[in-house]
């Protein structure tokens, strides 16, 4: 892998999608070749799986089915899009990756972080991110932001109660304790300019560390 693989993680309403796009634009301006993508999705097969997972009418979905579908979407996106981009030396910025499954399905749905980790290692092999940026936001504040954003369509996971989103936050804390070296934490309650500056600094640091 010659490029740099950076993932963006955090609860709902943390603003990661907006910041990811702005950070990608900045990198392109600086002459880097960048792939900005998201999970679940990013390519046709995985976008189709996304529709199945997030459809608000699919209330009967079993937690293990949910975890397996996320892992399947991840596998396809990785082999079809992420891996080739990294082999070409690109910087890949990915909105969510394995840690979302560990926090949402492993912890919040109660399947177990270790169990979900092993399913995901089957899906991704050794392709772990170089750096993961965690957008730290109080779940109540995050849900407030989502509810104010009327343009955003509410998906099946957005519709979960506040308690679920509090469990997701706890899940991320557990995951960060397990992989301390990989995470960089950003205070996502700050304004966009402030958060973007911090994210750009983290990315610059990662580029230097990897001599890119
Ligand atoms: P997003 O595009 O708003 O981030 O929506 C994706 C939703 O799917 C979000 O609620 C987080 C959830 N999710 C999981 O539960 N597990 C996963 O592995 C991923 C990638 C996302």
């Amino acid at each position: 892998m010659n490029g740099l693989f950076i993932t963006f993680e955090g609860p709902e309403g943390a603003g990661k999608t907006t910041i990811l796009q702005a950070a990608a634009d900045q990198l392109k301006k600086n002459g880097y070749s960048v792939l900005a993508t998201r999970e679940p999705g990013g390519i046709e097969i995985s976008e189709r799986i996304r529709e199945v997972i997030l459809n608000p009418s699919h209330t009967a979905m079993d937690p293990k089915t949910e975890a397996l579908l996320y892992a399947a979407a991840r596998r396809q996106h990785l082999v079809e899009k992420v891996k080739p981009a990294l082999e070409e030396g690109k910087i890949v910025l990915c909105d969510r990756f394995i840690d979302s499954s560990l926090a949402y399905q492993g912890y919040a749905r109660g399947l177990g972080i270790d169990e979900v980790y092993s399913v995901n290692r089957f899906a991704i092999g050794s392709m772990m991110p170089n750096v993961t940026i965690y957008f730290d936001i109080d779940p109540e504040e995050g849900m407030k932001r989502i509810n104010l954003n009327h343009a955003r369509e509410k998906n099946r996971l957005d519709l979960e109660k506040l308690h679920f989103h509090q469990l997701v936050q706890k899940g991320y804390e557990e995951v960060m304790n397990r992989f301390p070296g990989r995470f960089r934490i950003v205070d996502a309650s700050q304004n966009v300019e402030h958060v973007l500056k911090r994210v750009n600094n983290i990315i610059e640091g990662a580029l230097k560390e990897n001599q890119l």
Side-chain angles (χ1 to χ4, degrees), residues 12 50 70 74 96 100-101 104-105 152 155 157:
E12 254 56 52
R50 179 187 176 95
Y70 277 117
R74 177 160 303 129
R96 299 193 180 280
S100 286
S101 284
Y104 282 78
Q105 284 68 50
R152 177 186 163 122
N155 69 45
L157 276 85

Side-chain angles (χ1 to χ4, degrees), residues 98-108 113 116-117 120 171 175 179:
I98 184 171
D99 303 307
S100 286
S101 284
L102 302 180
Y104 282 78
Q105 284 68 50
Y107 193 88
I113 291 179
V116 175
Y117 184 69
N120 273 275
V175 172
F179 304 97

